[in-house]
Structures are given as C-alpha cells and as structure tokens.
Amino acid sequence: MKSWEVSLDATGLNLAIVVARFNHLICGQLLEGALEELERRGANPDAVHVAWVPGAFEIPQAARALANTGRYDAVIALGAVIRGGTPHFDYVCEGVTDGVREVMRDTGVPVAFGVLTCDDVEQALARAGGAHGNKGSDVALAAIEMVRLLAQLGDPPGGRA
Ligand code: INI
C-alpha cells in the first residue's frame, strides 16, 4: 500500500480568503487564525488576498468569482451562522454549504469550508480561538493540503516504480 505524502508548506501559494462581516467578532477571529496559520506555514502575506462579504450567504458568489480569476490555488471561506428563532438559519446554512460545494465542483479550485454553524454565540466563540481551537486555522491547513494533494494526484504515490 502506498499513500501520497502531502506537504503542509504554503510557500509560493496564492490564496484568497472570503470572510463574512456578519457576526464580525467571531469572523475576525477566524480570519486571524487563518492568517496566522498561513504565515506559520510559509505563505507570503502579499500573496494572501482577503475579500469581505456581508454575510455567509454571499460567500459562494465571491468564492466563485475569485476561483474564476485563475489567480488562486485555493479559496478559504470563513463565516459564522448562529441559530435564531426562525428557519432563516437553515436557509443561510444550506445556501452557503451547497454554494461552496458547487464552486468546487464547477471550478476545480479547492474551497476550504470554515463556516461555523452554531446554536449560540458561546459555541461559535469556542471554535474561533476558544476551548475548541480556531476553525480558521484548521481550514487554512485543509486548503494547503488540498492544493498540495491535487498537484500530486497525476503521479503515483512515491514516484513511478
Ligand atoms: N449571515 C451570517 O453570516 N450569519 C448569520 O448568523 C446570519 N443570520 O443569522 O441571519 C446571516 N444572515 C445574513 C445573510 O448571510 C445575508 O448576508 C443576507 O441575507 C443578505 O443576502
């Protein structure tokens, strides 16, 4: 059995981050986590471009536009949807998850999904630099991993026998 060995080095990558302003405190912390992780992994800060959008529902449209430029190896989507008393939560969650999946399917550009879907602000804060870590940092790693993996899949793992 052989597996592809994937580096988590972000050196030389061009990355776009789409981040929602809605629930700004939480999203700001997700963004900070993602930027710190990318820098730790060797990304050039000038090669990381951030697009703010009003809310999570708008993330897929911006992610698609960025992916279609052909300039970015991956897009990182960051947002926080918090359950209220109406079905709005479900529609926003469905819109952003379906939308991001369609962008990946249609463009082939990896889009890391860092949109929190939580019952309350406490759950979201715990995942935006609190007790459960920082989802922004986690999905930054996922983006790097997918770029590196996709670049290798045309060749067999371990090189040609
Ligand atoms: N957008 C979010 O990112 N998080 C939310 O929790 C949220 N809630 O609860 O309503 C939310 N709504 C706004 C939505 O994403 C759009 O920006 C808006 O509907 C305009 O299209």
Side-chain angles (χ1 to χ4, degrees):
M1 193 280 289
K2 285 185 179 178
S3 308
W4 279 276
E5 287 188 21
V6 179
S7 135
L8 292 177
D9 182 4
T11 307
L13 297 188
N14 292 302
L15 299 160
I17 301 179
V18 184
V19 56
R21 258 194 316 274
F22 207 102
N23 293 316
H24 189 272
L25 171 68
I26 292 156
C27 293
Q29 288 174 202
L30 294 174
L31 178 61
E32 207 172 299
L35 292 173
E36 281 173 8
E37 191 64 48
L38 294 175
E39 199 174 333
R40 253 196 306 279
R41 301 286 167 172
N44 174 358
D46 290 337
V48 179
H49 299 166
V50 177
W52 288 90
V53 294
F57 196 73
E58 283 73 34
I59 286 174
Q61 190 172 25
R64 183 180 291 274
L66 289 161
N68 280 338
T69 64
R71 282 194 205 119
Y72 300 104
D73 298 298
V75 177
I76 296 168
L78 302 176
V81 195
I82 298 179
R83 193 182 289 282
T86 72
H88 189 69
F89 171 87
D90 301 297
Y91 292 114
V92 174
C93 290
E94 195 180 308
V96 65
T97 48
D98 289 357
V100 164
R101 191 190 56 230
E102 285 162 10
V103 172
M104 280 208 283
R105 183 195 61 202
D106 297 346
T107 66
V109 176
V111 184
F113 190 73
V115 180
L116 300 175
T117 54
C118 297
D119 287 331
D120 52 45
V121 175
E122 287 67 38
Q123 278 187 358
L125 286 170
R127 290 159 180 78
H132 291 281
N134 190 313
K135 185 81 173 170
S137 156
D138 297 346
V139 303
L141 280 180
I144 300 167
E145 182 174 348
M146 286 307 294
V147 174
R148 297 302 186 200
L149 175 67
L150 292 175
Q152 290 187 64
L153 290 181
D155 294 314
R160 295 189 190 280

